[in-house]
């Protein structure tokens, strides 16, 4: 495993992160393919064995059960001080003023609920899952700063919003002497590159580390075109990646992987890891080879010619934040 600093902070994170949306009670959230606690346990153990210390979840993942699984797994397979623990806030957990959004009431209620489910008294990296247009950014950023000052949260991050929204929140923090964002978790992979227009240049300029989700494009960049899995055939979000314009890119990944004698996932992830703004891509693992292939991608350096070939057939599209 390799380790790096998260953006310009002093926080060290593993170069591969464990995405925990795959773990939780299948009947408790929007996904029916998630792994229950017994089935998820080997992946937490494997993460520890591989040196994957960055674990990423969210309060809304399967109604909070993902956080519960993660918290118990830390106690079972690792130590709290050895894990960089990330979770998120803003999605709907219940009806009422504190059940969703980024108001002071909602953030304070939801951070305490996350801490209880995770079985810890602090969160290393706390993300705003989405932008809340109904709450003044000053209210949100002042509340987040309070969380850092009281010790409930160590670092702040945001996820999937327009660059102007991220800039507005960051500016409010700077203007008032509050804690700024250290991380941005947006979707970034060889099939979804729209963040290269505005968000990524901004993060590079401000020293914000990228912790991208879906670095394998919901698995589309990890298997030949047209090949399906149980998740891709049932997950409504994954189905939106069936875009004919992506076929040339997937075919190129396949060709490079075949020539290199490595899985397609390693090629696709090596492309993400090669970008200087990326601190730690978050990989969801539901099969034994998923994390192993991700870690192996750290040893794969693409040539300039391979990178050019991978990027040549990309077709611009609308931002997609799922």
């Amino acid at each position: 495993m390799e380790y790096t600093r998260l953006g310009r902070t002093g926080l060290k994170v593993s170069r591969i992160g464990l995405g925990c949306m795959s773990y939780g009670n299948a009947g408790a959230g929007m996904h029916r393919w998630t792994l229950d606690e017994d089935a998820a346990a080997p992946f937490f153990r494997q993460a520890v064995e591989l040196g994957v210390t960055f674990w990423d979840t969210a309060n809304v993942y399967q109604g909070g059960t993902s956080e519960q699984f993660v918290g118990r797994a830390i106690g079972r397979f690792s130590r709290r001080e050895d894990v960089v623990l990330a979770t998120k806030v803003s999605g709907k957990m219940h009806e009422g003023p504190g059940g969703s959004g980024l108001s002071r009431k909602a953030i304070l209620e939801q951070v305490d609920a996350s801490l209880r489910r995770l079985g810890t008294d602090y969160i290393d990296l706390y993300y705003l899952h989405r932008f809340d247009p109904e709450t003044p950014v000053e209210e949100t950023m002042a509340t987040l700063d309070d969380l850092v000052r009281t010790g409930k949260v160590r670092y702040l991050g945001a996820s999937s919003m327009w660059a102007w929204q991220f800039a507005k929140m960051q500016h409010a923090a700077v203007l008032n002497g509050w804690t700024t964002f250290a991380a941005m978790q947006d979707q970034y992979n060889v099939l979804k590159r729209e963040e290269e227009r505005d968000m990524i240049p901004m993060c590079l300029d401000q020293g914000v580390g990228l912790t991208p989700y879906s670095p394998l494009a919901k698995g589309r960049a990890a298997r030949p075109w047209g090949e399906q899995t149980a998740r891709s055939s049932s997950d409504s979000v994954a189905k939106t990646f069936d875009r004919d314009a992506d076929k040339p890119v997937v075919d190129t990944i396949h060709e490079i992987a075949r020539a290199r004698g490595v899985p397609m996932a390693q090629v696709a992830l090596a492309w993400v890891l090669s970008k200087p703004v990326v601190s730690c891509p978050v990989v969801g693992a539901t099969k034994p080879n998923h994390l192993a292939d991700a870690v192996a991608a750290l040893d794969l350096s693409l040539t300039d010619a391979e990178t050019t070939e991978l990027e040549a057939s990309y077709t611009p599209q609308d931002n997609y934040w799922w």
Side-chain angles (χ1 to χ4, degrees):
M1 177 53 60
E2 296 176 6
Y3 300 88
T4 190
R5 303 290 181 182
L6 178 64
R8 288 181 187 160
T9 74
L11 179 64
K12 274 192 175 180
V13 295
S14 53
R15 284 282 277 150
I16 299 295
L18 177 65
C20 299
M21 189 182 76
S22 302
Y23 316 129
N25 292 337
M30 67 178 292
H31 301 301
R32 294 291 179 265
W33 49 266
T34 55
L35 304 185
D36 64 24
E37 195 158 8
D38 288 340
F43 297 98
F44 291 114
R45 182 188 297 110
Q46 185 184 33
V48 172
E49 293 170 349
L50 292 171
V52 176
T53 57
F54 183 81
W55 294 11
D56 177 275
T57 185
N59 62 344
V60 293
Y61 292 166
Q62 299 307 98
T65 60
S66 175
E67 286 185 325
Q68 292 172 346
F69 288 12
V70 170
R72 288 194 287 263
I74 291 174
R76 184 178 176 187
F77 302 113
S78 186
R79 301 184 306 165
R80 178 64 188 89
E81 56 266 36
D82 292 336
V83 173
V84 177
L85 180 59
T87 193
K88 309 178 187 73
V89 63
S90 90
K92 186 175 181 179
M93 294 299 290
H94 61 77
E95 298 290 345
S100 62
L102 299 178
S103 69
R104 183 173 183 85
K105 179 175 177 62
I107 291 173
L108 294 180
E109 177 183 325
Q110 293 305 319
V111 74
D112 285 342
S114 287
L115 290 168
R116 285 193 298 270
R117 286 189 293 265
L118 290 164
T120 184
D121 56 4
Y122 71 97
I123 294 162
D124 292 297
L125 181 57
Y126 200 43
Y127 289 101
L128 306 184
H129 212 158
R130 294 294 185 271
F131 185 78
D132 179 3
E134 297 181 348
T135 301
V137 296
E138 291 81 5
E139 178 178 343
T140 297
M141 297 309 294
T143 306
L144 292 177
D145 183 65
D146 286 344
L147 295 184
V148 174
R149 292 178 186 275
T150 58
K152 290 184 177 182
V153 169
R154 302 293 194 251
Y155 299 89
L156 302 178
S159 177
S160 291
M161 59 183 64
W162 295 109
W164 70 264
Q165 294 170 328
F166 188 54
K168 185 176 181 179
M169 302 189 90
Q170 198 80 314
H171 178 67
V174 171
L175 198 63
N176 291 280
W178 297 328
T179 307
T180 56
F181 294 115
M184 163 53 65
Q185 185 173 108
D186 50 7
Q187 180 160 207
Y188 187 47
N189 55 64
V190 73
L191 301 183
K192 301 289 183 184
R193 293 172 46 202
E194 298 313 297
E195 297 291 74
E196 292 177 355
R197 296 181 180 181
D198 298 306
M199 182 62 80
I200 287 177
M202 178 184 169
C203 289
L204 275 170
D205 177 70
Q206 298 197 4
V208 175
L210 228 63
T211 59
Y213 66 89
S214 295
L216 298 178
K218 302 291 190 294
R220 295 304 189 197
R223 57 181 179 272
W225 187 256
E227 187 176 302
Q228 296 287 340
T229 65
R231 175 184 175 182
S232 66
S233 59
S234 63
D235 188 334
S236 58
V237 175
K239 286 180 180 179
T240 61
F241 277 70
D242 294 326
R243 201 177 72 108
D244 290 339
D246 292 334
K247 184 179 184 299
V249 183
V250 175
D251 288 345
T252 300
I253 299 170
H254 192 196
E255 292 167 6
I256 294 173
R258 186 166 49 191
R260 290 285 200 118
V262 299
M264 290 175 63
Q266 290 186 27
V267 174
L269 196 53
W271 180 87
V272 176
L273 287 163
S274 71
K275 304 305 177 181
V277 70
V278 173
S279 295
C280 174
V282 175
V283 177
T286 55
K287 295 180 181 178
N289 64 296
H290 287 169
L291 271 183
D293 285 345
V295 173
L298 292 167
D299 296 323
L300 180 64
S301 296
L302 299 175
T303 66
D304 290 343
E306 288 170 334
T307 299
T308 298
E309 190 177 2
L310 281 170
E311 297 177 354
S313 53
Y314 179 78
T315 303
Q317 56 191 289
D318 290 334
N319 278 64
Y320 186 75
W321 292 328
W322 296 103

